[in-house]
């Protein structure tokens, strides 16, 4: 682990984002100090727009001058920087639970009850239809409910089976990253009133419910952790204050001549998720293309004479890169 002082960490999120819970739990269980910048649950997000960030998914995590997108990359970056804390060794076994919960999430969102005030808010419905490409209209949500519940029961059954030998934690007798990776969508549904029905309860999945309780009891009590909350303007100053490429975690990676994306160093590209949030591509100049990550330089609204720049970093998995230097060029 590097002995360099760690620059300020800022989590951009809103309180009811289940993907953000995965990261707040990780930060708290590893004992990593961070600040938070609370975002509106729907677009627009002016704090991010002034940084030149068009990518729309939550959460994002900045470390110094770099903003990391997608929780899969955020977890990996934090694991590289902070491998110690209140979590046991999991080797690579947590990665299969990451894939598992990503597969569960679309079915879980299909269980957001159509009678929630939020689901009657036209702006929210429109925003999420743009985000997911799926209908959030009451009749469609209600019609999809049984099928989603059936899928979701499969996920609770799976953890019930894994825990059937009376282990305390998903990989055995120590709480690990695999627990965080598995619990966040299960816990979210349990705490979302009306999402589940009588087929998913403490009686039908007792081991899963008590494991979730065991986990949440170990989290620091919300009142005991005072996470400093900062406004967008302060977050922007912190991020833009940290200098340029020298402060970047990806500056040693470079760009191979024969990268499969076809993109070259310095080329202007758009990076876009392949599943959700596709109508919000992120533009920037290629600075590094590693095996598992893409780093682009993005100009904030303050960019002038080489200042006001930041790095935005994406995982390779689940994202595509398109050149934009030539109009209509759609090379991959
Ligand atoms: N693969 C992404 C998924 C993140 C995601 O879907 N987040 C939801 C919130 S839990 C989101 O961005 N919803 C739309 C929005 O808030 O704009 C990740 O791991 O970060």
């Amino acid at each position: 682990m590097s002995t360099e002082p760690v620059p300020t960490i800022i989590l951009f999120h809103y309180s009811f984002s289940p993907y953000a819970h995965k990261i707040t739990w990780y930060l708290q269980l590893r004992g990593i100090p961070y600040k938070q910048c609370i975002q509106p649950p729907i677009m627009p997000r002016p704090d991010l727009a002034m940084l030149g960030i068009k990518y729309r998914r939550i959460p994002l995590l900045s470390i110094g001058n770099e903003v990391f997108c997608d929780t899969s990359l955020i977890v990996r970056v934090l694991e590289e920087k902070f491998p110690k804390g209140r979590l046991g060794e999991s080797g690579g076994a947590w990665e299969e639970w990451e894939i598992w919960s990503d597969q569960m999430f679309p079915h879980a969102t299909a269980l957001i009850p159509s009678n929630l005030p939020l689901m009657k808010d036209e702006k929210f419905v429109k925003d999420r239809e743009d985000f997911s490409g799926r209908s959030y209209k009451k009749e469609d949500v209600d019609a999809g409910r049984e099928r989603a519940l059936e899928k979701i029961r499969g996920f609770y059954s799976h953890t019930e089976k894994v825990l059937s030998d009376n282990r305390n934690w998903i990989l055995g007798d120590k709480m690990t990253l695999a627990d965080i990776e598995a619990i966040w969508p299960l816990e979210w549904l349990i705490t979302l009133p009306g999402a589940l029905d009588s087929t998913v309860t403490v009686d039908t999945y007792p081991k899963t419910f008590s494991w979730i309780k065991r986990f949440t009891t170990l989290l620091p009590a919300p009142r005991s952790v005072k996470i400093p909350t900062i406004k967008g303007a302060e977050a922007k100053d912190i991020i833009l204050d940290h200098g340029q490429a020298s402060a970047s975690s990806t500056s040693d990676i470079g760009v191979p001549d024969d990268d499969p994306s076809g993109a070259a160093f310095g080329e202007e590209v758009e990076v876009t998720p392949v599943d959700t949030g596709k109508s919000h591509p992120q533009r920037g100049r290629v600075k590094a293309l590693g095996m598992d990550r893409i780093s682009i330089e993005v100009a904030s609204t303050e960019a002038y004479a080489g200042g006001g720049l930041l790095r935005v970093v994406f995982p390779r998995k689940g994202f595509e890169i398109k050149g934009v230097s030539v109009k209509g060029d759609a090379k991959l």
Side-chain angles (χ1 to χ4, degrees):
M1 191 175 47
S2 148
T3 49
E4 305 243 319
V6 178
T8 307
I9 296 180
I10 307 167
L11 181 66
F12 295 84
H13 70 131
Y14 50 87
S15 66
F16 61 86
S17 155
Y19 268 104
H21 296 166
K22 166 160 93 164
I23 303 303
T24 51
W25 294 345
Y26 184 93
L27 290 164
Q28 290 170 14
L29 289 166
R30 284 275 194 235
I32 302 168
Y34 68 100
K35 297 179 195 288
Q36 59 183 354
C37 183
I38 302 297
Q39 295 306 299
I42 60 171
M43 300 297 283
R45 300 199 171 110
D47 297 347
L48 296 169
M50 70 185 163
L51 284 165
I53 295 178
K54 207 176 162 208
Y55 172 76
R56 71 155 294 172
R57 302 196 302 194
I58 292 292
L60 299 101
L61 185 99
S62 69
I63 306 181
N65 187 238
E66 287 179 297
V67 178
F68 296 95
C69 301
D70 201 283
T71 58
S72 71
L73 178 63
I74 295 172
V75 166
R76 281 169 178 79
V77 167
L78 291 173
E79 281 280 280
E80 287 161 14
K81 290 191 190 289
F82 306 93
K84 301 247 178 318
R86 259 171 90 194
L87 289 172
E89 280 295 320
S90 61
W94 61 272
E95 293 186 350
E96 69 185 71
W97 289 98
E98 175 185 65
I99 297 168
W100 183 84
S101 50
D102 278 344
Q103 286 167 348
M104 177 173 171
F105 186 64
H107 305 297
T109 55
L111 290 181
I112 304 176
S114 63
N115 61 2
L116 275 193
L118 201 58
M119 293 290 273
K120 293 182 185 154
D121 177 342
E122 237 175 77
K123 281 196 192 140
F124 179 81
V125 166
K126 230 169 149 246
D127 180 90
R128 286 313 193 260
E129 288 182 336
D130 168 65
F131 167 73
S132 66
R134 198 171 83 195
S135 166
Y136 268 62
K137 284 180 194 60
K138 181 178 166 33
E139 55 275 25
D140 296 325
V141 171
D142 291 347
R145 195 173 154 75
E146 268 316 308
R147 168 115 184 89
L149 260 174
E150 192 186 313
K151 289 275 181 198
I152 286 297
R153 279 192 291 270
F155 287 87
Y156 284 88
S157 300
H158 183 62
T159 48
E160 198 64 13
K161 201 161 148 212
V162 171
L163 297 163
S164 64
D165 60 3
N166 290 327
R167 60 181 64 198
N168 272 339
W169 302 106
I170 209 81
L171 298 182
D173 53 8
K174 284 239 166 69
M175 178 175 61
T176 66
L177 177 49
D179 293 286
I180 300 180
E181 290 286 357
I183 281 181
W184 64 267
L186 301 167
E187 194 267 351
W188 180 58
L189 283 181
I190 290 175
T191 54
L192 185 63
L196 297 169
D197 68 3
S198 61
T199 62
V200 186
T201 67
V202 65
D203 298 320
T204 52
Y205 299 104
K207 292 195 191 302
T208 300
F209 272 67
S210 54
W211 160 64
I212 295 172
K213 192 150 180 229
R214 199 173 304 126
F215 177 85
T216 50
T217 313
L218 284 180
L219 292 172
R223 277 199 216 102
S224 75
V225 273
K226 279 256 170 292
I227 307 300
T229 300
I230 57 173
K231 295 238 188 298
E234 195 182 335
K236 182 199 70 180
D237 287 347
I238 291 172
I239 291 169
L240 298 182
D241 226 36
H242 276 283
Q244 306 303 324
S246 57
S248 160
S249 67
T250 51
S251 47
D252 293 343
I253 294 178
V255 178
D257 290 340
D258 54 351
D259 190 83
S261 70
F265 184 87
E267 185 180 343
E268 178 125 16
V269 294
E270 277 182 354
V271 182
T272 317
V274 297
D275 48 1
T276 51
K278 290 191 270 197
S279 54
H280 294 259
Q282 179 63 53
R283 201 175 265 227
R285 290 194 182 279
V286 174
K287 287 290 170 176
L289 291 173
M291 291 288 280
D292 70 343
R293 57 199 76 176
I294 303 161
S295 177
I296 59 176
E297 187 174 70
V298 169
S300 73
T301 51
E302 279 183 14
Y304 57 92
L309 301 172
L310 57 141
R311 291 286 181 90
V312 181
V313 192
F314 298 91
R316 284 260 183 165
K317 196 174 158 207
F319 287 80
E320 64 179 18
I321 313 173
K322 278 187 187 164
V324 289
S325 13
V326 181
K327 210 173 182 313
D329 176 9
K331 74 182 168 191
L332 278 177

